[in-house]
Amino acid sequence: MRFVILTCVLHVFSMTYAHSSERLSVGVIDDTVGWIGVEEGQLTGDLSKPYHCVFDHSGLEIEAISVSLNRGLVELELGRLDIVLPIARTSQRDEKADFAGPMYSAGFSIVSLRSLQLDAAFAETPRLRYGIVLGFVGKQFIPESAGRVEEVSDWSQLVEMLKLQRIDVAVMPSGMAKRFLDSEREVLSAWEVGVIPVSLYMSKKLRDTDVQRALMLAIQRCKIEEAINTEFVGVDSHSPSSM
């Protein structure tokens, strides 16, 4: 019965916006290693499928552009972007924009290219040199005992810094670490440190509007309908509500 009501509500929103010429501006984070991208203003890639589901069910038209994580968050806070995706939830981001509800969950890992025994005790090793992408949510997994934290602009730089031993470990999404590092000849050690819900953030200018309600209802529908390839992207789409 719940799904019938939800479907009817979504249909009403879809009818409301299907004939609207106004498109939502969507910033797509450009450092996702090809999982999701933009082509002619539309979403592409395997990870775009659940987001297509959301926009299809909400009846909303979009115009997507590629942005860095930092730029996307700034433009979202200023209201120059309506939506940023894919993005994990944090309390700091909640202050700048509205999280639309979890669609799936992503694991995050500490990794090294050396034969190190990575675990909670190792992570607390004093003076350990950490690497991370600027603005990445995984920074919350770096302990206060870290000797130095190097912030870089993209994931490939982290891999090079590991290979050159300029850092001891890096924090990455688990699926990304696997894809980046499986081909390396050096020994890979990894330890998963946490799981965070992932979805999209909406500009506060959409708060309490029919657009926001349509998006949030569609996400409730699509997190059930869409199963993400967990082997490919390292996420679990079946347990978003456990976070």
Side-chain angles (χ1 to χ4, degrees), residues 13 17 82 97-100 202-217:
F13 279 119
Y17 292 102
D82 296 311
D98 293 327
F99 190 67
M202 302 174 290
S203 169
K204 288 184 178 180
K205 71 182 183 182
L206 298 178
R207 184 173 290 177
D208 297 325
T209 65
D210 287 343
V211 173
Q212 184 188 60
R213 286 186 281 272
L215 284 168
M216 295 183 75
L217 283 167

Side-chain angles (χ1 to χ4, degrees), residues 33 109-114 155-156 158-160 162-163 169-190:
V33 201
S109 295
I110 291 175
V111 300
S112 174
L113 286 177
R114 291 186 289 161
W155 301 105
S156 61
L158 278 185
V159 176
E160 288 303 311
L162 283 169
K163 292 168 70 173
V169 293
V171 184
M172 294 183 177
S174 301
M176 184 174 291
K178 177 177 174 58
R179 182 168 179 176
F180 256 129
L181 304 176
D182 270 357
S183 61
E184 299 295 334
R185 294 180 180 178
E186 291 87 350
V187 176
L188 169 64
S189 300

Side-chain angles (χ1 to χ4, degrees), residues 10-11 19 23 28 56 73 80 109 145 161 181 194 196 202 211 220 241:
L10 284 169
H11 179 68
H19 303 292
R23 293 189 173 192
V28 180
D56 287 346
L73 289 173
R80 293 199 286 251
S109 295
S145 60
M161 291 178 75
L181 304 176
I196 300 177
M202 302 174 290
V211 173
Q220 291 181 40
S241 60

Side-chain angles (χ1 to χ4, degrees), residues 124-171:
E124 295 293 337
T125 301
R127 312 304 299 169
L128 202 63
R129 299 170 300 168
Y130 276 78
I132 197 166
V133 167
L134 185 66
F136 174 51
V137 65
K139 190 172 185 177
Q140 66 184 282
F141 299 118
I142 298 178
E144 294 182 359
S145 60
R148 188 172 76 242
V149 179
E150 295 283 353
E151 294 185 299
V152 299
S153 58
D154 62 66
W155 301 105
S156 61
Q157 288 178 278
L158 278 185
V159 176
E160 288 303 311
M161 291 178 75
L162 283 169
K163 292 168 70 173
L164 295 172
Q165 298 187 17
R166 291 176 55 190
I167 58 175
D168 300 304
V169 293
V171 184

Side-chain angles (χ1 to χ4, degrees), residues 2 7 21 39 49 65-66 108 121 125-126 144 174 182 236:
R2 173 178 174 271
T7 300
S21 59
E39 187 173 312
K49 295 176 183 177
I65 61 169
S66 294
F108 297 85
T125 301
E144 294 182 359
S174 301
D182 270 357
D236 178 7

